[in-house]
Amino acid sequence: MYGGYFSSSEITDIDDKYIGSVIDLETLTKMTRQMKISMGGMMWLVSFFAVLIFAVLVYLLSKIIIEKNAQSISMAKILGYSKGEIARLYVMPTSIVVVLCVLINIPLSVRIIGIIWKAMLSQMMTGYLPYWIDPKIYVEMFVAGVICYGVVAALELKRIGKVPMDMALKNVE
């Protein structure tokens, strides 16, 4: 069992030996300043690798889609479809799915990290440190995801352009 009190003023009716810790604005500010000094410098590295992993994963999945449909793309070229029409057939659906997944996964990830944060605080730290993310971070995450996918989509458009037209004729079953 755990008993804790939040108060806007000093608690004087409880003996000091029963008070485990007191966290006031100064203590909280000092703790956040220390965390920023300790971890702030490596957060750009974490962000960079997160974006890199996202880009590689999306690239590999898009590459698989293009490779699996190479014969259909070749047939579409033979039938006279333009590069833009083929892109709308193969890249646009992937784009819609990626944007929807990013929109769904950002709040879901934030929620899961919030649960993990609360569990970690209850087991590893005394006191209370609120979990808060600046709303502009949501926009930054979405924009980073869309830009990464834009780069991947451009690479996939090049890959579609390189699919030879004779592939459909060679592999007729």
Side-chain angles (χ1 to χ4, degrees):
M1 185 172 119
Y2 172 78
Y5 298 99
F6 286 103
S7 173
S8 59
S9 61
E10 186 177 351
I11 299 174
T12 57
D13 57 343
I14 298 176
D15 192 6
D16 286 343
K17 69 180 179 180
Y18 295 118
I19 296 177
S21 65
V22 176
I23 298 178
D24 56 359
L25 183 60
E26 183 182 329
T27 308
L28 190 61
T29 305
K30 194 184 305 182
M31 187 171 23
T32 54
R33 193 178 311 124
Q34 177 60 40
M35 283 183 73
K36 189 172 182 179
I37 291 169
S38 305
M39 299 176 63
M42 72 177 180
M43 280 301 122
W44 70 270
L45 191 63
V46 172
S47 299
F48 172 77
F49 279 111
V51 169
L52 183 67
I53 289 170
F54 173 78
V56 168
L57 182 67
V58 170
Y59 174 76
L60 291 174
L61 291 173
S62 296
K63 181 181 170 189
I64 289 170
I65 290 169
I66 300 301
E67 286 176 355
K68 292 278 185 186
N69 292 303
Q71 187 171 355
S72 300
I73 292 169
S74 179
M75 185 61 77
K77 285 183 175 184
I78 290 171
L79 294 174
Y81 283 80
S82 69
K83 191 175 177 181
E85 291 171 329
I86 295 171
R88 281 195 297 273
L89 287 172
Y90 293 99
V91 177
M92 189 59 87
T94 307
S95 302
I96 292 169
V97 169
V98 167
V99 169
L100 287 176
C101 285
V102 168
L103 284 174
I104 291 169
N105 283 318
I106 288 173
L108 184 65
S109 298
V110 168
R111 181 102 169 147
I112 290 170
I113 291 171
I115 292 168
I116 293 169
W117 178 259
K118 287 178 184 175
M120 182 195 73
L121 280 180
S122 68
Q123 294 178 1
M124 299 178 157
M125 296 178 84
T126 59
Y128 177 74
L129 188 61
Y131 174 70
W132 179 79
I133 295 179
D134 191 357
K136 74 175 185 171
I137 299 297
Y138 297 115
V139 175
E140 289 175 5
M141 286 189 285
F142 178 75
V143 168
V146 169
I147 289 172
C148 279
Y149 181 70
V151 171
V152 168
L155 292 172
E156 292 308 317
L157 286 174
K158 278 181 98 172
R159 183 180 298 277
I160 287 173
K162 291 181 180 178
V163 173
M165 287 202 287
D166 62 346
M167 179 181 260
L169 300 174
K170 288 181 185 176
N171 296 327
V172 176
E173 293 177 1

